[in-house]
Amino acid sequence: ISAADPLYVVKLDAERRLVQVGPRAALERSALTASGVTWVAGTPPAGDILAQVQIRSRHAAASARVTPIGPGRMLVEFDTPQSAITPGQAAVVFQENEVLGGGWIDS
């Protein structure tokens, strides 16, 4: 593919054998859902919490609203869009230096 600016893989559709590409900005998203979520306290928070969420080991934690959305699931809504939120990666929830829980990114 020839383009004036660099292109990045935005989506893979193995079933249809398609690779979708776009500009760097297309990699940014403001929210994710995660499953397999466990909470250090043993139970999820009663409602929304404001926390820092780290989506990769080498990615800086970012401010977000975290909402439990069912057994072993959470919704994370970031204050600012994050680049390359990838299914299968871990999402770890912190408040200051305390780990509250985490799970695996679905979407």
Side-chain angles (χ1 to χ4, degrees):
I1 296 175
S2 177
D5 296 314
L7 297 175
Y8 300 86
V9 175
V10 175
K11 182 179 179 183
L12 295 174
D13 184 341
E15 187 174 300
R16 295 175 42 202
R17 301 176 61 131
L18 295 174
V19 176
Q20 181 180 344
V21 296
R24 187 173 195 65
L27 296 175
E28 294 182 347
R29 294 193 5 237
S30 296
L32 65 84
T33 59
S35 59
V37 176
T38 57
W39 299 98
V40 173
T43 58
D48 297 355
I49 60 169
L50 300 179
Q52 300 288 310
V53 178
Q54 188 169 351
I55 58 172
R56 282 186 301 286
S57 63
R58 296 183 189 262
H59 190 270
S63 296
R65 177 178 306 279
V66 178
T67 306
I69 55 172
R73 302 209 50 196
M74 70 179 171
L75 169 66
V76 177
E77 298 170 290
F78 291 100
D79 292 351
T80 58
Q82 301 298 302
S83 182
I85 295 174
T86 307
Q89 294 287 334
V92 181
V93 181
F94 298 88
Q95 279 183 332
E96 297 185 21
N97 292 327
E98 181 182 0
V99 174
L100 301 181
W104 303 103
I105 299 171
D106 294 324
S107 61

